[in-house]
Amino acid sequence: MSQVVSDEMAEYRHDAQVDQLLAWLAAAGASTGRHKPVACVGRDGITLRLRMTRGSLYEVASTGTVSVYDRRGIRLGTVYPAYAPASGQSAMSQALTAVIRDVLTRWEGPLPRWCDVTDAGDNETGYDDHVLRGMTHPRTGAALAWVRVVDYYHASERVWALANVVFGNASRAVRWAKTMRKWFLRPGGGVNRVRHSATAFRVARTLTRVQKKEYDRAYAYLRNRMGHLDDARYRRVGVPLGSGVTGAACKTVFTQRLKLSGMRWTKEGTQTIPNLRVILLSGIWGAVYGRVLAARPQPIMGGYRASEPDEIGIAA
């Protein structure tokens, strides 16, 4: 029964999420503050234990977010798509793109600032490069000016990795890493200053093979993403620095419901519960369930149409 209703409700998720985002954009536009309203997109993956014919297999499911922030940088709300493991995560890409395009098509006010905040993983970077970067406005054909942000906290992890390699003294490593994290947020090329400082200390040390590999990996992460680590500018224009909303979505959509002790799922079953959870978390349960009921033929009992109980609310 849950799967039947899940499939029915999933048909109305997209339209209800677009309606919700448009309402939040209207509220953001009417708010007071010094920033332009922001529409922020994110996506991330999480491993799930799937039940196979023989044993188990761990694969990556995907969660996406589209959030709206008002002129004071306050998040008004977030809508969530989520999908079971699939090669290339094409369903997630299609769902996110469809939501963005339909919001743009229906939105009549001044455009918000569109941004994309991720941890710069392979699927996330591919979506940026192949979809968002070339996206145009569906009505006007004008190119969209996306602000692409690499998550501040993932970048900070690389700073800590550099500190642990370069400094043998733990307290000195902590002091250096904390100072570098502050430099990230300062104008004037913060990440570049971090790289220069790390290099200066690196040449004074003789590293083991393992240490050199760790240092090179962390350093390359920062070097290759410098163009998307301009945190001082992002703060100045009210763009979020972190992908915490998307990271939290992985936990609330999947971990809290599908990764309890001993749980294993088939791919088909894996999609049933997220279909319901993203509707609930997006704040559109009533709207979607109402549309499902309206689309069903209602039996007439004693002159009144019988309404059905919300029998699957607990499943989400």
Side-chain angles (χ1 to χ4, degrees):
M1 181 61 186
S2 293
Q3 183 171 350
V4 173
V5 182
S6 172
D7 292 342
E8 285 185 295
M9 295 187 75
E11 292 183 24
Y12 299 97
R13 173 193 57 80
H14 170 83
D15 289 341
Q17 287 184 336
V18 170
D19 290 343
Q20 182 69 284
L21 287 168
L22 291 170
W24 287 332
L25 283 174
S31 66
T32 59
R34 62 191 183 92
H35 298 306
K36 191 175 185 178
V38 170
C40 185
V41 176
R43 60 185 292 173
D44 202 356
I46 185 169
T47 56
L48 287 182
R49 186 184 184 189
L50 300 182
R51 185 173 69 241
M52 311 300 292
T53 304
R54 293 183 179 179
S56 300
L57 177 67
Y58 288 89
E59 291 194 22
V60 178
S62 57
T63 306
T65 58
V66 184
S67 304
V68 174
Y69 295 79
D70 69 9
R71 297 183 183 277
R72 292 176 294 170
I74 297 173
R75 182 168 62 98
L76 300 184
T78 301
V79 301
Y80 308 82
Y83 289 92
S87 177
Q89 299 182 359
S90 59
M92 173 58 67
S93 297
Q94 292 168 8
L96 273 178
T97 304
V99 168
I100 295 166
R101 289 197 177 280
D102 283 0
V103 168
L104 287 166
T105 299
R106 293 178 54 189
W107 177 246
E108 299 291 344
L111 282 180
R113 194 183 307 278
W114 284 89
C115 72
D116 177 42
V117 185
T118 72
D119 62 4
D122 291 341
N123 286 309
E124 295 79 16
T125 299
Y127 185 66
D128 290 334
D129 291 340
H130 303 304
V131 179
L132 298 184
R133 183 177 294 184
M135 185 177 288
T136 58
H137 195 289
R139 289 204 318 267
T140 67
L144 293 175
W146 282 89
V147 180
R148 186 168 167 181
V149 181
V150 171
D151 175 63
Y152 168 77
Y153 301 98
H154 279 81
S156 295
E157 289 177 355
R158 273 63 184 188
V159 172
W160 282 104
L162 293 174
N164 290 331
V165 170
V166 169
F167 299 99
N169 182 297
S171 61
R172 193 176 181 192
V174 170
R175 289 196 302 271
W176 183 84
K178 287 183 175 179
T179 299
M180 295 304 105
R181 291 183 65 193
K182 293 178 182 177
W183 282 8
F184 261 134
L185 305 176
R186 293 178 181 174
V191 67
N192 214 20
R193 297 176 64 191
V194 172
R195 290 176 54 229
H196 289 165
S197 178
T199 300
F201 287 109
R202 158 70 179 86
V203 297
R205 281 184 57 85
T206 301
L207 303 182
T208 66
R209 193 173 187 178
V210 172
Q211 288 175 326
K212 185 178 184 304
K213 186 176 181 180
E214 292 177 357
Y215 178 93
D216 290 345
R217 185 187 298 118
Y219 188 90
Y221 183 95
L222 299 178
R223 181 193 61 218
N224 296 339
R225 294 163 177 80
M226 281 184 59
H228 311 301
L229 284 167
D230 193 354
D231 291 345
R233 180 172 67 89
Y234 303 149
R235 292 178 78 183
R236 189 168 63 250
V237 299
V239 170
L241 302 184
S243 59
V245 171
T246 309
C250 288
K251 296 177 182 178
T252 55
V253 174
F254 286 107
T255 301
Q256 293 177 357
R257 184 60 180 83
L258 277 75
K259 296 188 70 171
L260 302 181
S261 179
M263 280 188 171
R264 292 185 301 169
W265 299 82
T266 63
K267 284 195 176 183
E268 296 76 14
T270 302
Q271 193 59 51
T272 298
I273 299 303
N275 281 347
L276 300 173
R277 288 188 70 77
V278 297
I279 291 170
L280 181 67
L281 294 169
S282 298
I284 55 173
W285 184 275
V288 171
Y289 200 63
R291 295 182 189 189
V292 170
L293 292 181
R296 287 180 176 178
Q298 298 292 309
I300 299 178
M301 301 172 59
Y304 296 94
R305 290 192 178 275
S307 60
E308 299 182 19
D310 187 359
E311 69 269 358
I312 47 78
I314 193 171

